[in-house]
């Protein structure tokens, strides 16, 4: 064995990246044993010999050998130092770059979760992300600093189950006033956003194998949470009155959970009709099923009239209302909340604590004072106007450049428009083509399940939260060019 080559990485005398030569020698020999370059029983040179070969002090070699012996990698036999007989998992892939999996594969669920690359870039037309350049940084900073000044050691630990009482109070008051919810502070539980709320609901409201109804098209991250919790999913179509959740369907395919976006269906934008809302609430009470109401963007209602939340219509029904600060404050804050029936608040708070060990006390304190000071309401008033102008601009640009080729949905609230192509278009190819022209968008067909019988409707989701009017005017013509190239027009 050519030890000089094997250990040539030992480098110069002195510390290299904080490691002494004796530590580096120890590492190099250990790595060579672990990846199979030094096999069971291989004899190592004497300490004197190796020190001479590597031009290092003999003490350094003694140190490395002793440490490796103490850990069981080396043994002494007949006064020679040898590699111990170890039952090592051989690194079959190491010589080809170490990327081959050894042994345990990832779960089947993980294939679903890792199928599409997450898009986290802040680009115009990205869906669900607000305008972050207009966020009142300075005001927010003053609340954060105030929170840091007020903290004690206990705030740096895990937070109380359900979240900080001050934030629960602030949210309960804000939601009663601005959204008409009927709730006490104790019914408000703080989460790290909608995703955590969905995850805890999937785990605490249903058992593995139970049925959940989802809108089709629907919100893919909800599907991921439900699937990961082992729930079966029934895809319920959506029409212009929202989810088609008629009572007779509940009787024949009784779910444990109905997941719905009643005030602004995601992504098509329809509003669940009052008739269907009341029928759903009645069925929920009759069949003891849970309704999860994802009210993700109703701070931004653009057409004057506020749509009532299901939670408000029947405060004692088994409804979990989910709200988020991802759009009203900023997504990276990772704070949201649930409003749950009184009887379920303590068990769910306890589940949140056991599953996620919540923290973020400083952010929670800052957010509570941001709400209580009126700064949130002020920011919302400003942003409503901004988003309304952007929605109008986007709608007008789309009509101008696409005319009768499209139908536009979903402008009554929030910060996205959904277009449906009147003819069948490969919307995934269109998304790729648009990306090559600098336009980020999502294919509508991605929001339907793969198993959907017949052709999936084709269209695009265009978020205007992060696209100002100048960008909208610049990007829509490029989108039309992409459309022409994909459809051969
Ligand atoms: C339908 C829907 N629900 C919820 C959210 C917010 O999720 P979170 O609170 O996890 O950021 C989004 C964000 O885009 C959304 O589109």
């Amino acid at each position: 064995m050519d030890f000089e080559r094997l250990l040539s990485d030992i480098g110069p005398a002195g510390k290299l990246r904080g490691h002494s030569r004796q530590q580096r020698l120890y590492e190099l020999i250990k790595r060579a044993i672990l990846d199979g370059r030094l096999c069971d029983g291989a004899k190592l040179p004497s300490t004197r010999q190796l020190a001479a070969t590597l031009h290092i002090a003999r003490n350094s070699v003694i140190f490395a050998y002793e440490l490796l012996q103490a850990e069981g990698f080396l043994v002494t036999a007949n006064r020679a130092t040898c590699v111990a007989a170890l039952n090592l998992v051989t690194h079959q892939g190491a010589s080809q770059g170490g990327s081959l999996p050894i042994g345990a594969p990832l779960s089947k669920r993980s294939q679903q979760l890792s199928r599409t690359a997450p898009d986290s870039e802040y680009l115009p037309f990205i869906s669900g992300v607000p305008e972050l350049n207009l966020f009142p940084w300075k005001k927010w900073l003053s609340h954060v600093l105030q929170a840091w000044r007020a903290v004690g050691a206990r705030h740096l630990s895990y937070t109380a189950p359900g979240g900080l009482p001050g934030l629960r109070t602030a949210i309960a008051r804000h939601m009663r006033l601005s959204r008409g919810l009927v709730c006490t502070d104790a019914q408000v539980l703080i989460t790290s956003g909608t995703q955590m709320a969905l995850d805890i609901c999937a785990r605490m409201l249903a058992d593995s194998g139970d049925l959940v109804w989802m809108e089709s098209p629907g919100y893919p991250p909800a599907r991921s949470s439900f699937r990961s919790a082992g729930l079966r999913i029934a895809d319920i179509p959506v029409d212009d009155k929202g989810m088609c959740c008629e009572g007779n369907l509940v009787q024949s395919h009784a779910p444990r959970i109905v997941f719905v976006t009643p005030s602004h269906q995601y992504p098509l934008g329809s509003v669940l009709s009052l008739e269907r809302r009341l029928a759903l609430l009645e069925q929920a009470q009759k069949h003891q099923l849970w309704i999860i109401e994802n009210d993700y963007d109703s701070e931004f209602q653009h057409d004057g009239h506020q749509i009532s939340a299901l939670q408000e219509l029947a405060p004692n029904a088994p409804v979990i209302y989910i709200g988020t600060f991802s759009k009203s404050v900023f997504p990276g804050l990772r704070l949201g909340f649930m409003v749950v029936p009184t009887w379920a608040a303590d068990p769910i708070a306890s589940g949140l604590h056991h599953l996620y060990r919540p923290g973020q006390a400083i952010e929670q304190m800052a957010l509570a004072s941001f709400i209580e000071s009126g700064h949130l309401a002020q920011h919302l008033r400003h942003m409503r106007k901004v988003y309304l102008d952007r929605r109008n601009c986007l709608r007008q640009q789309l009509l101008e450049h696409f005319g009768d080729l499209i139908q536009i949905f979903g402008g009554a609230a929030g910060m996205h428009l959904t277009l449906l192509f009147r003819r069948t278009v490969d919307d995934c190819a269109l998304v790729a083509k648009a990306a090559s022209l600098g336009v980020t968008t999502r294919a509508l067909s991605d929001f339907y399940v793969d198993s959907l019988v017949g052709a999936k409707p084709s269209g695009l989701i265009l978020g205007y939260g992060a696209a100002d009017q100048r960008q909208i005017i610049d990007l829509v013509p490029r989108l039309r060019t992409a459309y022409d190239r994909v459809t051969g027009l």
Side-chain angles (χ1 to χ4, degrees):
M1 173 69 61
D2 182 351
F3 280 91
E4 194 172 0
R5 243 185 81 202
L6 187 72
L7 304 175
S8 59
D9 271 356
I10 186 135
K15 294 227 167 192
L16 193 67
R17 289 189 293 272
H19 290 270
S20 66
R21 288 179 119 197
Q22 56 195 25
Q23 284 167 324
R24 293 199 313 263
L25 181 60
Y26 154 81
E27 279 295 336
L28 287 173
I29 298 175
K30 187 170 80 174
R31 184 58 31 221
I33 296 173
L34 286 174
D35 64 21
R37 283 174 296 145
L38 276 177
C39 309
D40 290 5
K43 197 171 153 203
L44 270 77
S46 71
T47 52
R48 199 181 302 277
Q49 238 179 335
L50 190 59
T53 311
L54 299 177
H55 309 291
I56 61 174
R58 186 170 165 225
N59 272 348
S60 298
V61 183
I62 294 175
F63 169 88
Y65 277 19
E66 282 179 356
L67 210 53
L68 289 160
Q69 274 172 15
E71 284 190 41
F73 286 101
L74 297 181
V75 286
T76 9
N78 300 329
R79 306 190 59 223
T81 305
C82 304
V83 176
L86 298 168
N87 192 11
L88 286 178
V89 180
T90 46
H91 286 224
Q92 292 149 351
S95 55
Q96 295 127 35
S99 58
L100 293 182
I102 39 166
L106 298 178
S107 68
K108 291 198 189 93
R109 275 193 298 265
S110 79
Q111 290 167 12
Q112 296 287 343
L113 290 173
S114 57
R115 214 166 34 164
T116 47
D119 50 354
S120 57
E121 277 196 80
Y122 184 56
L123 294 168
F125 290 164
I126 183 172
S127 168
V129 179
E131 177 53 84
L132 300 174
N133 291 302
L134 296 178
F135 182 68
W137 309 89
K138 284 197 184 142
K139 287 182 188 150
W140 177 253
L141 182 64
S142 71
H143 292 285
V144 173
L145 290 175
Q146 189 186 316
W148 269 109
R149 283 191 203 105
V151 295
R154 75 195 157 88
H155 293 104
L156 303 181
S157 183
Y158 304 107
T159 47
L164 290 196
L167 181 57
R168 295 169 76 179
T169 304
I171 292 176
R173 195 178 354 231
H174 175 68
M175 294 312 287
R176 283 193 299 260
L177 283 174
S178 67
R179 190 72 182 97
L181 297 192
V182 184
C183 65
T184 62
D185 307 0
Q187 286 175 263
V188 175
L189 305 178
I190 308 302
T191 63
S192 290
T194 306
Q195 207 49 42
M196 183 193 274
L198 291 171
D199 221 56
I200 188 84
C201 285
R203 283 159 213 282
M204 297 223 34
L205 310 183
D207 291 300
S208 186
D210 281 348
L211 190 67
V212 52
W213 280 13
M214 271 202 67
E215 296 158 322
S216 178
Y219 183 48
R223 181 175 293 280
S224 303
S225 281
F226 296 145
R227 274 222 187 100
S228 295
L231 306 187
R232 287 179 302 128
I233 297 175
D235 291 284
I236 310 296
V238 170
D239 64 17
D240 59 348
K241 295 197 193 75
M243 187 187 225
C244 303
C245 48
E246 272 74 24
N248 51 2
L249 200 60
V250 175
Q251 272 152 35
S252 55
H253 292 82
R256 187 87 191 92
I257 298 176
V258 177
F259 171 73
V260 64
T261 46
S263 301
H264 189 220
Q265 200 278 328
Y266 190 80
L268 292 183
S270 45
V271 174
L272 192 66
S273 67
L274 185 61
E275 201 186 342
R276 284 188 187 169
R277 283 162 185 252
L278 295 176
L280 191 56
L281 288 165
E282 191 198 333
Q283 297 297 325
Q285 271 159 329
K286 194 157 140 198
H287 296 282
Q288 297 200 313
L289 54 94
W290 283 97
I291 300 173
I292 302 178
E293 173 174 27
N294 182 15
D295 201 37
Y296 61 103
D297 66 3
S298 44
E299 300 92 340
F300 305 109
Q301 307 253 4
H302 302 312
D303 289 342
H305 56 282
Q306 168 100 283
I307 316 268
S308 316
L310 287 174
Q311 199 280 346
E312 179 192 351
L313 293 177
N316 294 319
V319 173
I320 305 263
Y321 175 98
I322 297 181
T324 179
F325 291 100
S326 287
K327 290 165 206 281
S328 55
V329 184
F330 56 92
L333 179 64
R334 300 316 298 139
L335 283 176
F337 62 95
M338 299 193 274
V339 177
V340 308
T342 317
W343 78 87
D346 284 347
I348 297 180
S350 169
L352 280 168
H353 198 72
H354 288 302
L355 281 174
Y356 311 105
R357 311 292 281 164
Q360 296 171 286
I362 317 289
E363 288 82 355
Q364 292 194 32
M365 288 164 80
L367 181 58
S369 68
F370 190 67
I371 298 172
E372 297 285 21
S373 65
H375 285 150
L376 175 67
Q378 198 182 357
H379 177 53
L380 289 176
R381 275 196 299 278
H382 177 206
M383 295 315 292
R384 254 176 233 129
K385 164 110 189 50
V386 170
Y387 295 140
L388 179 63
D389 289 346
R390 288 183 183 185
R391 180 205 68 176
N392 293 343
C393 174
L394 179 58
R395 199 182 251 170
Q396 190 244 322
Q397 286 295 309
L398 288 169
L399 290 174
E400 192 176 308
H401 292 275
F402 284 85
D404 285 347
L405 296 172
I406 56 168
Q407 241 182 309
I408 302 178
F409 293 97
M415 48 186 76
H416 76 270
L417 289 179
T418 300
L419 15 157
L420 191 70
F421 295 117
R422 289 189 196 271
R423 58 184 276 199
T424 305
V425 172
D426 180 347
D427 53 9
C428 295
L430 175 54
V431 166
K433 178 55 73 190
S436 73
L437 299 176
V439 189
T440 309
T441 172
R442 289 275 315 262
L444 178 61
S445 60
D446 277 353
F447 293 75
Y448 290 85
V449 266
D450 288 342
S451 56
L452 187 75
V453 185
K456 292 181 195 177
S458 53
L460 295 175
I461 319 291
L462 293 176
Y464 52 83
D468 63 27
Q469 298 192 36
R470 191 182 45 79
Q471 290 168 316
I472 293 172
I473 292 168
D474 172 38
L475 295 176
V476 172
R478 286 202 237 167
L479 193 59
R480 175 62 206 257
T481 307
Y483 177 91
D484 290 348
R485 292 200 188 150
V486 166
T487 56
L489 274 186

